[in-house]
Each structure stands twice: as structure tokens, then as C-alpha cells.
Amino acid sequence: MNGSNTNSRDEDRRKDSSNTTLTSLNQTLRNVQGLLKGRSFPGKVMLTRRTDPLSDSSLRSPDTDRSFSNKHAGTSEWLDDSVEDDIQSKSTPSTNSTGNKSRTSTSSGEDTSKESQKSTIGARATDSARLMKFTKALSGPTVILDKLRELAWSGVPPYLRPTVWRLLLMMPSLWYKGLGMTSAVHCQQGYAPTNSDRREVVLRRKRLEYLDCVAQYYDIPDIQRTDEEITMLRQISVDCPRTVPDVTFFQQAEVQKSLERILYTWAIRHPASGYVQGINDLATPFLVVFLSEFLEGSVDDWTTLDLPPEKISDIEADCYWCLSKLLDGMQDHYTFAQPGIQRLVFKLKELVRRIDEPVSRHIEEQGLEFLQFAFRWFNCLLIREIPFHLVTRLWDTYLAEGDALPDFLVYIFASFLLTWSDKIQKLDFQEMVMFLQHLPTENWNHVELEMVLSRAYMWHTMFKSSPSHFSS
Amino acid sequence: MGAYRADDDYDYLFKVVLIGDSGVGKSNLLSRFTRNEFSLESKSTIGVEFATRSIHVDDKVVKAQIWDTAGQERYRAITSAYYRGAVGALLVYDVTRHVTFENVERWLKELRDHTDSNIVIMLVGNKADLRHLRAVSTEDAKAFAEKESTFFMETSALESMNVENAFTEVLSQIYRVVSRKALDAGDDPATLPKGQTINVGGKDDVSAIKKVGCCST
């Protein structure tokens, strides 16, 4: 933490001199850092005031693709609730963004003193407040998806994850079909009025559909498969045993078989890309989260997949549909020559050039191509680069981003890369390639990840209103 | 990295690629050679990975810059970009999976389509420790290598068998090719590889470089 902290401060200093707009946001960032470290800090006031100068030009753009955006500038899972609400209440008058109106301001003099207390206490106190928000969002007769996304962006409490992820990934698209509602109406309203009975019906149908697919495509003799299908199945069976190999749970044959069924079924039903190495990694967060409903403790404690076959099949089905939904927005990441990834790598390079010119110049001078390190980041969505226990938290944000995820990845990865801005500038070509291939994140915890996400959010807010730097 | 740490003090820098089907053990061959490490739990390679190691050939320090590539077909478009400028290649198959040997021919074509004709190629039958599972005979592989004029060796990254030899042999052969060319070119080592080999990934457009005036060791 100390390292990245000093790092970003140095960055800040550089930017301060060149860009006055950045100054205010860097101040925000510092405040966030203070809060993340659990220091008591007059963050509420600073957070709000300091972002004000920017707000008219970029923060409060009404045609924002993410209606909840401005409230998240610099907030994180562990940020105090009242801070969030305070930003909210101050920004509401000047914004016409949707979704805000339902919120009520809770800011008061009492909150201020409570807040500084809570900040020092840290995660626990914050957690209960966030929990209540989640419970409230999930308990009504209908779930407002925008609201849920907004909450999920900053992290979902582990025990609610299965429910929230299913809602974010499995329900919306099903909803259109299930009720014959037009998607236009649906999008306009921005919520999926899923009552729990209907949810169950939808889930049951989807799980049966998955079972059918497995029977039709997977549980057949090889003689009924084409050569390409055999090659694909072979590739999947080579990769399953080496999926998250550092977590012992994944070493079990049954777990690997489940993974194989999910991946092969997905691949057969998505012939434009088929199975591509790395997609195996992408299925694992779903598997872990949906299993967490039935297995005690964390994935590190799990030893056997001791569940009835129907349960396993349900879990597989949910993984399958969630994986499908996630990848629907990124199909061309895995088609021939992977143009989607190449495009995003290019955007990353441009964004880094804009944010941190010295690093950008150094990388270029050394002849390092962004593709040489960032390809895997996009291909596996950073799963390979951070400890596995942080992956589900990262995915809360991914899934909350929804359709906007591919573009937002560019910001997350820029933020991730620039965590080591100072270090990178001291390395030559070979050192840089090796450093970036094995980034020292093994001791990372939530704090470091939240930092990456907050900064990504901040840069996204700054740059999205001036996208001309991507036009070339 | 310890004793294996890549050092800047070298006479020659050679770019070498590791290719072959998925799961034949390319990454473990590389980690065995560059870090003396082996992992039964290694993950699949996505895109390319990179490592270096320097060895002595004759009285010269030869530094190998080795690019380990993903084996899956879909990555071919990405990985073949890294063949550019390679002066050596280890084409790896798994002696326990015959299909990986059958695919060697396609890999060879791929390699010859993208690299200089002088490239030194070694066919490597890995996982030779799994004797009871062997599916490709040494004779078949040797015959194929002779037919295609490549070098050949069976290795075990797990048992550390022949790994050192395989890489050393490739690097020595490259060294021989390069120094022969140096003689042809009038013994001016500084000029030797220019124009025929390219991009190591670094700024300099060379993949077999002789450093001038730094060879006191």
C-alpha cells in the first residue's frame, strides 16, 4: 500500500504542474487514499467540494452511459455511507441523471461525527450500512437494476453475491423473453421488475435448457463429433486441470469435469469464437460464487464437491448462463486474430499516453509493445494478475458495468499499470517485459484493488467527455 | 533469479522461440532452463511470455532471449508476430500424445513461412520421463527430424533431462551460423547480422547482435 500510495502521489505532482483540471481530482484521490487507509479525514467536505469545478463539464453530463456515475467518483467498498450520501445530496440539485431521485439525503451534523468515528473503525461498520442498502434493494417486490448496479459497483457482500450476480447477468435478458416486454420500454425504465416467483420460473427454465444442451452436445460419443469439435474438447480437457492450479479445490476431478461441461457447451453454442484458452479462467469466479451458497467457508477451505448431482447441475447452469452473458459483450475478443482485444490494447496505449506521458514515452523508447503485456490482461480480465481471493470483488465492478465493461476495462487496466509508474520507468526492455508478466500483487488486498478501481473511475469520468484522443 | 539472472554483459543476443501444441510443456522447458524451476501446476500461456538466460559458447557469452508462445491455434495470429527475427526455435511435442507429434509438420510450415531460412530448429520430444505412457517412438521422431533437417532431442523438464543440452545445442548452432557468416562478411563482427534478422522486441532491429567493445570477460 505504501508503495502504490507514494507512487500515485508522485504521479499527482507531475500532473499538477501540467493540468489544473487534474489537481482537483488528484486531491480527491488523496482523500480517497486517506479514507482507504482508515484515517479520519475531512473527506466528506473535500470529496464534494473538490470535484465541483469539474462537475459541470464532465461529471454531470446528462447523456452519461452509466446513470449512477457521478456518485461513485472516488467511492469504494469501504467508504463510509454518509460520505456517499453526502456527495449524493450535494450533487442532486445540479444533475438530471436518473436514479438519483429515489435517494434521500441523510446528511446531518450528527453524521459528520459518526463518520470520522466509522472511518477509523473501518470495514465492519461500513459493511453493516452497505448490507442494509443491499437488503433494501433486494427485498422489494421489484428489483431496480440500476440501483443494484450502483451498489454492486463498489463491492457486493459475499453472501449476497450469488443473488446479485444472477440478477445482473441472468435476469434482464430473460425478462424480455419471459414477459414479452419490449426492450425499449425496459431500458427506458432501467429496471427489471422481477418478482421472486417469476425469477424462480426463469431460473428453472434456464437450468433445464442447460441440461438439454449438455445432453445434446457434451454427453455424446466422439464419433458424433466433427474433427474440430474433437480438437476443441481436447483443448478444453488439457486446460481444465491447469485452471487456477494454485487453489487446491480446482484440482478435484469433479470440479474439472464441471468446468469442462460448461466450457464445451459454451464453445459449441458460440461457433464464431469457439473455445479460446483463457475462457476457462473466466468461468471460475462464477463457479466459486455459486458454490459458495452450498459450501462452508471460502474456496481455500473447500475440499470436496460433495453435493447432489442436481445441485451441481444447477450451479453449472448458472455459471454457463452468466459466462454467456459476460462474453456476449466481448465476442470479438475471441474470434480470429482477436480484433476486440487488439482494439482495446490500442485504446489502453492511447489512454496511458494521455495520463502519464513519461511512462508512455519510456515504454515506447524501450520498444515495448502494449500487446506484449496487456494482451493477457484483456484475454483473462486480470484474473491471472491478481490473487484469486480478490477476483470476485473485481468482478462485482465488471458485472455492474454491464454493457459498458469493455471500454471501462481500458481505464481499470491503465490504473493497474500505472500503479507501478515509477518502477516501470527504471526498467529496460527485458526487465520491463518480465516485470509486467509477473507483477508483484501476491500480497495485494482489497485496499490496493479499491485504489485501482477508484482511480479508474476517476479517469473515466475525466476523459469520457473528451474522447477525441481515441479517434485516431 | 540468482545465478540465472540475465546479465547485460554479453557478446551475442539471440532470439529463440518455443512453439508446439498446447500442453506439451513449453513453459516448463523455459522455466527449467532460465530459472531451474518446474511446476506441475502451471497455467496455460496466453499470447506470449518471455525469459532470458546467458550461456558460454566457446569463449563468448551468448544471451538467449526466449519467447514462449501459446499453443492454441487461435493465438497463431498473435504469436506468429513474434517469430519475426527469431534465429532459433524449439519445436516441442509431447511423447505421450501422438497428436502433438502429428501437428509438428504444421508448426514447421508455420515457422518456415515466418522466419529466415537460416533459422536453427530443434525438434524436442518432451515428457520423456513418462516412459510407460510413451506414444511416439524415438526412431519415428529421429527419422522425421532427419527428413526435415532439424536437430532432435528428447527431454524431460520434470527430471531436468536434456533441457540444458537442448537449449545449449540450439544456441551453439546459431553461434556457429553467425560466426561463419562473420567470416564471409569479412570478419567485421559489428556488421554481421544486419539486414537479415529483425526485431528482438527491443528498439534495435537485430536479433543476433554482437556487442562491440565490451567483451573483456
Side-chain angles (χ1 to χ4, degrees), chain A residues 336-366:
Chain A
F336 177 76
Q338 305 185 258
I341 291 185
Q342 306 229 31
R343 197 175 56 237
L344 292 184
V345 168
F346 177 78
K347 282 188 178 183
L348 175 64
K349 184 180 170 186
E350 293 303 302
L351 181 63
V352 169
R353 191 204 309 278
R354 199 153 188 221
I355 295 171
D356 194 332
E357 213 276 327
V359 162
S360 176
R361 196 169 353 104
H362 179 72
I363 290 175
E364 196 159 325
E365 278 167 7
Q366 289 295 317

PDB file of all heavy atoms in Angstrom, chain A residues 336-366:
ATOM      1  N   PHE A 336     -11.236 -14.861 -34.668  1.00  0.00           N
ATOM      2  CA  PHE A 336      -9.936 -14.935 -35.312  1.00  0.00           C
ATOM      3  C   PHE A 336      -9.149 -13.619 -35.208  1.00  0.00           C
ATOM      4  O   PHE A 336      -9.682 -12.557 -35.484  1.00  0.00           O
ATOM      5  CB  PHE A 336     -10.086 -15.336 -36.788  1.00  0.00           C
ATOM      6  CG  PHE A 336      -8.773 -15.345 -37.507  1.00  0.00           C
ATOM      7  CD1 PHE A 336      -7.873 -16.385 -37.302  1.00  0.00           C
ATOM      8  CD2 PHE A 336      -8.411 -14.293 -38.338  1.00  0.00           C
ATOM      9  CE1 PHE A 336      -6.641 -16.382 -37.931  1.00  0.00           C
ATOM     10  CE2 PHE A 336      -7.176 -14.290 -38.977  1.00  0.00           C
ATOM     11  CZ  PHE A 336      -6.300 -15.335 -38.772  1.00  0.00           C
ATOM     12  N   ALA A 337      -7.902 -13.730 -34.795  1.00  0.00           N
ATOM     13  CA  ALA A 337      -6.976 -12.598 -34.615  1.00  0.00           C
ATOM     14  C   ALA A 337      -7.399 -11.666 -33.470  1.00  0.00           C
ATOM     15  O   ALA A 337      -6.761 -10.667 -33.208  1.00  0.00           O
ATOM     16  CB  ALA A 337      -6.781 -11.801 -35.898  1.00  0.00           C
ATOM     17  N   GLN A 338      -8.478 -12.013 -32.813  1.00  0.00           N
ATOM     18  CA  GLN A 338      -8.934 -11.329 -31.602  1.00  0.00           C
ATOM     19  C   GLN A 338      -8.966  -9.799 -31.734  1.00  0.00           C
ATOM     20  O   GLN A 338      -8.334  -9.081 -30.946  1.00  0.00           O
ATOM     21  CB  GLN A 338      -8.072 -11.801 -30.429  1.00  0.00           C
ATOM     22  CG  GLN A 338      -8.120 -13.332 -30.339  1.00  0.00           C
ATOM     23  CD  GLN A 338      -7.395 -13.918 -29.152  1.00  0.00           C
ATOM     24  OE1 GLN A 338      -6.307 -14.417 -29.279  1.00  0.00           O
ATOM     25  NE2 GLN A 338      -8.028 -13.852 -27.991  1.00  0.00           N
ATOM     26  N   PRO A 339      -9.699  -9.313 -32.749  1.00  0.00           N
ATOM     27  CA  PRO A 339      -9.692  -7.870 -33.016  1.00  0.00           C
ATOM     28  C   PRO A 339     -10.185  -7.020 -31.847  1.00  0.00           C
ATOM     29  O   PRO A 339      -9.693  -5.903 -31.663  1.00  0.00           O
ATOM     30  CB  PRO A 339     -10.648  -7.730 -34.218  1.00  0.00           C
ATOM     31  CG  PRO A 339     -11.476  -8.972 -34.201  1.00  0.00           C
ATOM     32  CD  PRO A 339     -10.604 -10.049 -33.642  1.00  0.00           C
ATOM     33  N   GLY A 340     -11.122  -7.536 -31.076  1.00  0.00           N
ATOM     34  CA  GLY A 340     -11.636  -6.763 -29.946  1.00  0.00           C
ATOM     35  C   GLY A 340     -10.536  -6.451 -28.951  1.00  0.00           C
ATOM     36  O   GLY A 340     -10.430  -5.331 -28.437  1.00  0.00           O
ATOM     37  N   ILE A 341      -9.690  -7.441 -28.688  1.00  0.00           N
ATOM     38  CA  ILE A 341      -8.599  -7.227 -27.738  1.00  0.00           C
ATOM     39  C   ILE A 341      -7.582  -6.251 -28.327  1.00  0.00           C
ATOM     40  O   ILE A 341      -7.109  -5.335 -27.653  1.00  0.00           O
ATOM     41  CB  ILE A 341      -7.935  -8.562 -27.354  1.00  0.00           C
ATOM     42  CG1 ILE A 341      -8.917  -9.392 -26.512  1.00  0.00           C
ATOM     43  CG2 ILE A 341      -6.628  -8.325 -26.598  1.00  0.00           C
ATOM     44  CD1 ILE A 341      -8.359 -10.675 -25.965  1.00  0.00           C
ATOM     45  N   GLN A 342      -7.287  -6.438 -29.598  1.00  0.00           N
ATOM     46  CA  GLN A 342      -6.307  -5.544 -30.227  1.00  0.00           C
ATOM     47  C   GLN A 342      -6.784  -4.085 -30.162  1.00  0.00           C
ATOM     48  O   GLN A 342      -5.990  -3.176 -29.931  1.00  0.00           O
ATOM     49  CB  GLN A 342      -6.090  -5.952 -31.688  1.00  0.00           C
ATOM     50  CG  GLN A 342      -5.718  -7.427 -31.797  1.00  0.00           C
ATOM     51  CD  GLN A 342      -4.499  -7.673 -32.665  1.00  0.00           C
ATOM     52  OE1 GLN A 342      -3.608  -6.829 -32.739  1.00  0.00           O
ATOM     53  NE2 GLN A 342      -4.455  -8.827 -33.310  1.00  0.00           N
ATOM     54  N   ARG A 343      -8.070  -3.905 -30.361  1.00  0.00           N
ATOM     55  CA  ARG A 343      -8.628  -2.555 -30.320  1.00  0.00           C
ATOM     56  C   ARG A 343      -8.491  -1.957 -28.919  1.00  0.00           C
ATOM     57  O   ARG A 343      -8.083  -0.811 -28.747  1.00  0.00           O
ATOM     58  CB  ARG A 343     -10.098  -2.625 -30.737  1.00  0.00           C
ATOM     59  CG  ARG A 343     -10.702  -1.294 -31.135  1.00  0.00           C
ATOM     60  CD  ARG A 343     -12.135  -1.475 -31.645  1.00  0.00           C
ATOM     61  NE  ARG A 343     -12.975  -2.140 -30.678  1.00  0.00           N
ATOM     62  CZ  ARG A 343     -13.654  -3.282 -30.911  1.00  0.00           C
ATOM     63  NH1 ARG A 343     -13.571  -3.876 -32.078  1.00  0.00           N
ATOM     64  NH2 ARG A 343     -14.405  -3.819 -29.968  1.00  0.00           N
ATOM     65  N   LEU A 344      -8.811  -2.752 -27.910  1.00  0.00           N
ATOM     66  CA  LEU A 344      -8.734  -2.240 -26.543  1.00  0.00           C
ATOM     67  C   LEU A 344      -7.285  -2.002 -26.106  1.00  0.00           C
ATOM     68  O   LEU A 344      -7.007  -1.065 -25.366  1.00  0.00           O
ATOM     69  CB  LEU A 344      -9.436  -3.186 -25.565  1.00  0.00           C
ATOM     70  CG  LEU A 344     -10.960  -3.295 -25.707  1.00  0.00           C
ATOM     71  CD1 LEU A 344     -11.538  -4.179 -24.619  1.00  0.00           C
ATOM     72  CD2 LEU A 344     -11.629  -1.928 -25.677  1.00  0.00           C
ATOM     73  N   VAL A 345      -6.381  -2.837 -26.574  1.00  0.00           N
ATOM     74  CA  VAL A 345      -4.968  -2.627 -26.254  1.00  0.00           C
ATOM     75  C   VAL A 345      -4.503  -1.299 -26.842  1.00  0.00           C
ATOM     76  O   VAL A 345      -3.784  -0.528 -26.197  1.00  0.00           O
ATOM     77  CB  VAL A 345      -4.085  -3.794 -26.766  1.00  0.00           C
ATOM     78  CG1 VAL A 345      -2.613  -3.434 -26.686  1.00  0.00           C
ATOM     79  CG2 VAL A 345      -4.358  -5.062 -25.971  1.00  0.00           C
ATOM     80  N   PHE A 346      -4.974  -1.024 -28.033  1.00  0.00           N
ATOM     81  CA  PHE A 346      -4.630   0.257 -28.656  1.00  0.00           C
ATOM     82  C   PHE A 346      -5.183   1.418 -27.834  1.00  0.00           C
ATOM     83  O   PHE A 346      -4.497   2.411 -27.576  1.00  0.00           O
ATOM     84  CB  PHE A 346      -5.178   0.305 -30.086  1.00  0.00           C
ATOM     85  CG  PHE A 346      -4.935   1.613 -30.773  1.00  0.00           C
ATOM     86  CD1 PHE A 346      -3.687   1.915 -31.294  1.00  0.00           C
ATOM     87  CD2 PHE A 346      -5.946   2.564 -30.878  1.00  0.00           C
ATOM     88  CE1 PHE A 346      -3.443   3.136 -31.912  1.00  0.00           C
ATOM     89  CE2 PHE A 346      -5.723   3.787 -31.484  1.00  0.00           C
ATOM     90  CZ  PHE A 346      -4.470   4.080 -32.006  1.00  0.00           C
ATOM     91  N   LYS A 347      -6.426   1.277 -27.386  1.00  0.00           N
ATOM     92  CA  LYS A 347      -7.034   2.333 -26.569  1.00  0.00           C
ATOM     93  C   LYS A 347      -6.271   2.515 -25.255  1.00  0.00           C
ATOM     94  O   LYS A 347      -6.105   3.629 -24.771  1.00  0.00           O
ATOM     95  CB  LYS A 347      -8.495   1.991 -26.244  1.00  0.00           C
ATOM     96  CG  LYS A 347      -9.451   2.234 -27.382  1.00  0.00           C
ATOM     97  CD  LYS A 347     -10.875   2.051 -26.892  1.00  0.00           C
ATOM     98  CE  LYS A 347     -11.890   2.330 -27.985  1.00  0.00           C
ATOM     99  NZ  LYS A 347     -13.269   2.219 -27.480  1.00  0.00           N
ATOM    100  N   LEU A 348      -5.844   1.410 -24.705  1.00  0.00           N
ATOM    101  CA  LEU A 348      -5.085   1.472 -23.452  1.00  0.00           C
ATOM    102  C   LEU A 348      -3.811   2.281 -23.655  1.00  0.00           C
ATOM    103  O   LEU A 348      -3.465   3.141 -22.848  1.00  0.00           O
ATOM    104  CB  LEU A 348      -4.746   0.050 -22.978  1.00  0.00           C
ATOM    105  CG  LEU A 348      -3.856  -0.058 -21.735  1.00  0.00           C
ATOM    106  CD1 LEU A 348      -4.554   0.526 -20.514  1.00  0.00           C
ATOM    107  CD2 LEU A 348      -3.476  -1.512 -21.463  1.00  0.00           C
ATOM    108  N   LYS A 349      -3.137   1.994 -24.755  1.00  0.00           N
ATOM    109  CA  LYS A 349      -1.895   2.697 -25.045  1.00  0.00           C
ATOM    110  C   LYS A 349      -2.148   4.206 -25.160  1.00  0.00           C
ATOM    111  O   LYS A 349      -1.403   5.022 -24.606  1.00  0.00           O
ATOM    112  CB  LYS A 349      -1.323   2.149 -26.358  1.00  0.00           C
ATOM    113  CG  LYS A 349       0.009   2.705 -26.749  1.00  0.00           C
ATOM    114  CD  LYS A 349       0.462   2.080 -28.048  1.00  0.00           C
ATOM    115  CE  LYS A 349       1.678   2.808 -28.575  1.00  0.00           C
ATOM    116  NZ  LYS A 349       2.065   2.330 -29.906  1.00  0.00           N
ATOM    117  N   GLU A 350      -3.214   4.564 -25.854  1.00  0.00           N
ATOM    118  CA  GLU A 350      -3.554   5.977 -26.027  1.00  0.00           C
ATOM    119  C   GLU A 350      -3.907   6.631 -24.694  1.00  0.00           C
ATOM    120  O   GLU A 350      -3.516   7.757 -24.423  1.00  0.00           O
ATOM    121  CB  GLU A 350      -4.727   6.114 -27.008  1.00  0.00           C
ATOM    122  CG  GLU A 350      -4.384   5.709 -28.431  1.00  0.00           C
ATOM    123  CD  GLU A 350      -3.216   6.513 -28.972  1.00  0.00           C
ATOM    124  OE1 GLU A 350      -3.317   7.742 -29.011  1.00  0.00           O
ATOM    125  OE2 GLU A 350      -2.190   5.899 -29.338  1.00  0.00           O
ATOM    126  N   LEU A 351      -4.653   5.910 -23.892  1.00  0.00           N
ATOM    127  CA  LEU A 351      -5.067   6.473 -22.603  1.00  0.00           C
ATOM    128  C   LEU A 351      -3.862   6.676 -21.682  1.00  0.00           C
ATOM    129  O   LEU A 351      -3.735   7.720 -21.029  1.00  0.00           O
ATOM    130  CB  LEU A 351      -6.088   5.544 -21.929  1.00  0.00           C
ATOM    131  CG  LEU A 351      -6.627   6.029 -20.582  1.00  0.00           C
ATOM    132  CD1 LEU A 351      -7.396   7.339 -20.742  1.00  0.00           C
ATOM    133  CD2 LEU A 351      -7.528   4.975 -19.942  1.00  0.00           C
ATOM    134  N   VAL A 352      -2.969   5.701 -21.660  1.00  0.00           N
ATOM    135  CA  VAL A 352      -1.777   5.821 -20.820  1.00  0.00           C
ATOM    136  C   VAL A 352      -0.930   6.998 -21.296  1.00  0.00           C
ATOM    137  O   VAL A 352      -0.403   7.758 -20.496  1.00  0.00           O
ATOM    138  CB  VAL A 352      -0.962   4.500 -20.821  1.00  0.00           C
ATOM    139  CG1 VAL A 352       0.398   4.700 -20.181  1.00  0.00           C
ATOM    140  CG2 VAL A 352      -1.732   3.406 -20.108  1.00  0.00           C
ATOM    141  N   ARG A 353      -0.857   7.169 -22.597  1.00  0.00           N
ATOM    142  CA  ARG A 353      -0.115   8.302 -23.133  1.00  0.00           C
ATOM    143  C   ARG A 353      -0.705   9.606 -22.598  1.00  0.00           C
ATOM    144  O   ARG A 353      -0.006  10.551 -22.264  1.00  0.00           O
ATOM    145  CB  ARG A 353      -0.166   8.290 -24.669  1.00  0.00           C
ATOM    146  CG  ARG A 353       0.810   9.287 -25.315  1.00  0.00           C
ATOM    147  CD  ARG A 353       0.379   9.710 -26.716  1.00  0.00           C
ATOM    148  NE  ARG A 353       0.080   8.600 -27.611  1.00  0.00           N
ATOM    149  CZ  ARG A 353       1.005   7.925 -28.274  1.00  0.00           C
ATOM    150  NH1 ARG A 353       2.261   8.235 -28.151  1.00  0.00           N
ATOM    151  NH2 ARG A 353       0.656   6.933 -29.070  1.00  0.00           N
ATOM    152  N   ARG A 354      -1.992   9.625 -22.499  1.00  0.00           N
ATOM    153  CA  ARG A 354      -2.656  10.841 -22.065  1.00  0.00           C
ATOM    154  C   ARG A 354      -2.513  11.092 -20.562  1.00  0.00           C
ATOM    155  O   ARG A 354      -2.376  12.226 -20.114  1.00  0.00           O
ATOM    156  CB  ARG A 354      -4.140  10.756 -22.419  1.00  0.00           C
ATOM    157  CG  ARG A 354      -4.767  12.104 -22.433  1.00  0.00           C
ATOM    158  CD  ARG A 354      -5.948  12.175 -23.356  1.00  0.00           C
ATOM    159  NE  ARG A 354      -6.355  13.578 -23.437  1.00  0.00           N
ATOM    160  CZ  ARG A 354      -7.619  13.970 -23.435  1.00  0.00           C
ATOM    161  NH1 ARG A 354      -8.580  13.100 -23.371  1.00  0.00           N
ATOM    162  NH2 ARG A 354      -7.899  15.243 -23.508  1.00  0.00           N
ATOM    163  N   ILE A 355      -2.527  10.024 -19.808  1.00  0.00           N
ATOM    164  CA  ILE A 355      -2.485  10.168 -18.354  1.00  0.00           C
ATOM    165  C   ILE A 355      -1.068  10.352 -17.835  1.00  0.00           C
ATOM    166  O   ILE A 355      -0.808  11.142 -16.946  1.00  0.00           O
ATOM    167  CB  ILE A 355      -3.113   8.938 -17.662  1.00  0.00           C
ATOM    168  CG1 ILE A 355      -4.593   8.837 -17.985  1.00  0.00           C
ATOM    169  CG2 ILE A 355      -2.907   9.000 -16.153  1.00  0.00           C
ATOM    170  CD1 ILE A 355      -5.226   7.538 -17.528  1.00  0.00           C
ATOM    171  N   ASP A 356      -0.149   9.568 -18.395  1.00  0.00           N
ATOM    172  CA  ASP A 356       1.192   9.526 -17.829  1.00  0.00           C
ATOM    173  C   ASP A 356       2.214   9.532 -18.963  1.00  0.00           C
ATOM    174  O   ASP A 356       2.740   8.497 -19.351  1.00  0.00           O
ATOM    175  CB  ASP A 356       1.334   8.268 -16.959  1.00  0.00           C
ATOM    176  CG  ASP A 356       2.564   8.318 -16.057  1.00  0.00           C
ATOM    177  OD1 ASP A 356       3.550   8.983 -16.434  1.00  0.00           O
ATOM    178  OD2 ASP A 356       2.542   7.665 -14.996  1.00  0.00           O
ATOM    179  N   GLU A 357       2.481  10.709 -19.440  1.00  0.00           N
ATOM    180  CA  GLU A 357       3.343  10.861 -20.612  1.00  0.00           C
ATOM    181  C   GLU A 357       4.741  10.259 -20.391  1.00  0.00           C
ATOM    182  O   GLU A 357       5.251   9.565 -21.281  1.00  0.00           O
ATOM    183  CB  GLU A 357       3.406  12.346 -20.991  1.00  0.00           C
ATOM    184  CG  GLU A 357       3.551  12.601 -22.474  1.00  0.00           C
ATOM    185  CD  GLU A 357       4.990  12.519 -22.908  1.00  0.00           C
ATOM    186  OE1 GLU A 357       5.831  12.889 -22.077  1.00  0.00           O
ATOM    187  OE2 GLU A 357       5.264  12.063 -24.029  1.00  0.00           O
ATOM    188  N   PRO A 358       5.379  10.490 -19.232  1.00  0.00           N
ATOM    189  CA  PRO A 358       6.732   9.941 -19.045  1.00  0.00           C
ATOM    190  C   PRO A 358       6.784   8.408 -19.158  1.00  0.00           C
ATOM    191  O   PRO A 358       7.687   7.867 -19.801  1.00  0.00           O
ATOM    192  CB  PRO A 358       7.103  10.384 -17.622  1.00  0.00           C
ATOM    193  CG  PRO A 358       6.281  11.592 -17.376  1.00  0.00           C
ATOM    194  CD  PRO A 358       5.009  11.371 -18.098  1.00  0.00           C
ATOM    195  N   VAL A 359       5.837   7.719 -18.568  1.00  0.00           N
ATOM    196  CA  VAL A 359       5.814   6.265 -18.672  1.00  0.00           C
ATOM    197  C   VAL A 359       5.594   5.851 -20.119  1.00  0.00           C
ATOM    198  O   VAL A 359       6.274   4.971 -20.652  1.00  0.00           O
ATOM    199  CB  VAL A 359       4.685   5.657 -17.804  1.00  0.00           C
ATOM    200  CG1 VAL A 359       4.374   4.241 -18.234  1.00  0.00           C
ATOM    201  CG2 VAL A 359       5.090   5.653 -16.355  1.00  0.00           C
ATOM    202  N   SER A 360       4.645   6.519 -20.727  1.00  0.00           N
ATOM    203  CA  SER A 360       4.324   6.219 -22.106  1.00  0.00           C
ATOM    204  C   SER A 360       5.563   6.360 -22.996  1.00  0.00           C
ATOM    205  O   SER A 360       5.853   5.501 -23.830  1.00  0.00           O
ATOM    206  CB  SER A 360       3.221   7.169 -22.555  1.00  0.00           C
ATOM    207  OG  SER A 360       2.946   6.992 -23.895  1.00  0.00           O
ATOM    208  N   ARG A 361       6.295   7.450 -22.774  1.00  0.00           N
ATOM    209  CA  ARG A 361       7.488   7.690 -23.588  1.00  0.00           C
ATOM    210  C   ARG A 361       8.553   6.620 -23.318  1.00  0.00           C
ATOM    211  O   ARG A 361       9.178   6.096 -24.225  1.00  0.00           O
ATOM    212  CB  ARG A 361       8.045   9.090 -23.301  1.00  0.00           C
ATOM    213  CG  ARG A 361       9.028   9.544 -24.352  1.00  0.00           C
ATOM    214  CD  ARG A 361       9.416  11.033 -24.272  1.00  0.00           C
ATOM    215  NE  ARG A 361       8.674  11.835 -23.325  1.00  0.00           N
ATOM    216  CZ  ARG A 361       9.174  12.238 -22.151  1.00  0.00           C
ATOM    217  NH1 ARG A 361      10.380  11.894 -21.773  1.00  0.00           N
ATOM    218  NH2 ARG A 361       8.440  12.987 -21.350  1.00  0.00           N
ATOM    219  N   HIS A 362       8.711   6.301 -22.045  1.00  0.00           N
ATOM    220  CA  HIS A 362       9.709   5.287 -21.683  1.00  0.00           C
ATOM    221  C   HIS A 362       9.399   3.940 -22.345  1.00  0.00           C
ATOM    222  O   HIS A 362      10.270   3.283 -22.895  1.00  0.00           O
ATOM    223  CB  HIS A 362       9.778   5.124 -20.166  1.00  0.00           C
ATOM    224  CG  HIS A 362      10.751   4.091 -19.713  1.00  0.00           C
ATOM    225  ND1 HIS A 362      12.125   4.271 -19.780  1.00  0.00           N
ATOM    226  CD2 HIS A 362      10.572   2.833 -19.233  1.00  0.00           C
ATOM    227  CE1 HIS A 362      12.737   3.184 -19.338  1.00  0.00           C
ATOM    228  NE2 HIS A 362      11.812   2.291 -18.999  1.00  0.00           N
ATOM    229  N   ILE A 363       8.137   3.541 -22.266  1.00  0.00           N
ATOM    230  CA  ILE A 363       7.734   2.261 -22.854  1.00  0.00           C
ATOM    231  C   ILE A 363       8.026   2.254 -24.348  1.00  0.00           C
ATOM    232  O   ILE A 363       8.557   1.299 -24.897  1.00  0.00           O
ATOM    233  CB  ILE A 363       6.230   1.991 -22.578  1.00  0.00           C
ATOM    234  CG1 ILE A 363       6.030   1.706 -21.081  1.00  0.00           C
ATOM    235  CG2 ILE A 363       5.712   0.847 -23.417  1.00  0.00           C
ATOM    236  CD1 ILE A 363       4.585   1.539 -20.656  1.00  0.00           C
ATOM    237  N   GLU A 364       7.721   3.381 -24.970  1.00  0.00           N
ATOM    238  CA  GLU A 364       7.949   3.478 -26.409  1.00  0.00           C
ATOM    239  C   GLU A 364       9.437   3.466 -26.754  1.00  0.00           C
ATOM    240  O   GLU A 364       9.880   2.765 -27.660  1.00  0.00           O
ATOM    241  CB  GLU A 364       7.286   4.746 -26.944  1.00  0.00           C
ATOM    242  CG  GLU A 364       7.129   4.728 -28.442  1.00  0.00           C
ATOM    243  CD  GLU A 364       6.044   5.704 -28.899  1.00  0.00           C
ATOM    244  OE1 GLU A 364       5.055   5.855 -28.152  1.00  0.00           O
ATOM    245  OE2 GLU A 364       6.210   6.300 -29.952  1.00  0.00           O
ATOM    246  N   GLU A 365      10.194   4.224 -25.970  1.00  0.00           N
ATOM    247  CA  GLU A 365      11.640   4.279 -26.223  1.00  0.00           C
ATOM    248  C   GLU A 365      12.296   2.915 -26.086  1.00  0.00           C
ATOM    249  O   GLU A 365      13.243   2.588 -26.797  1.00  0.00           O
ATOM    250  CB  GLU A 365      12.307   5.266 -25.248  1.00  0.00           C
ATOM    251  CG  GLU A 365      12.200   6.708 -25.694  1.00  0.00           C
ATOM    252  CD  GLU A 365      12.582   7.691 -24.575  1.00  0.00           C
ATOM    253  OE1 GLU A 365      13.058   7.244 -23.511  1.00  0.00           O
ATOM    254  OE2 GLU A 365      12.381   8.893 -24.781  1.00  0.00           O
ATOM    255  N   GLN A 366      11.769   2.130 -25.165  1.00  0.00           N
ATOM    256  CA  GLN A 366      12.336   0.799 -24.964  1.00  0.00           C
ATOM    257  C   GLN A 366      11.822  -0.199 -26.003  1.00  0.00           C
ATOM    258  O   GLN A 366      12.240  -1.350 -26.022  1.00  0.00           O
ATOM    259  CB  GLN A 366      12.004   0.299 -23.555  1.00  0.00           C
ATOM    260  CG  GLN A 366      12.760   1.026 -22.456  1.00  0.00           C
ATOM    261  CD  GLN A 366      14.258   0.789 -22.522  1.00  0.00           C
ATOM    262  OE1 GLN A 366      14.702  -0.334 -22.749  1.00  0.00           O
ATOM    263  NE2 GLN A 366      15.049   1.841 -22.362  1.00  0.00           N
TER     264      GLN A 366
END
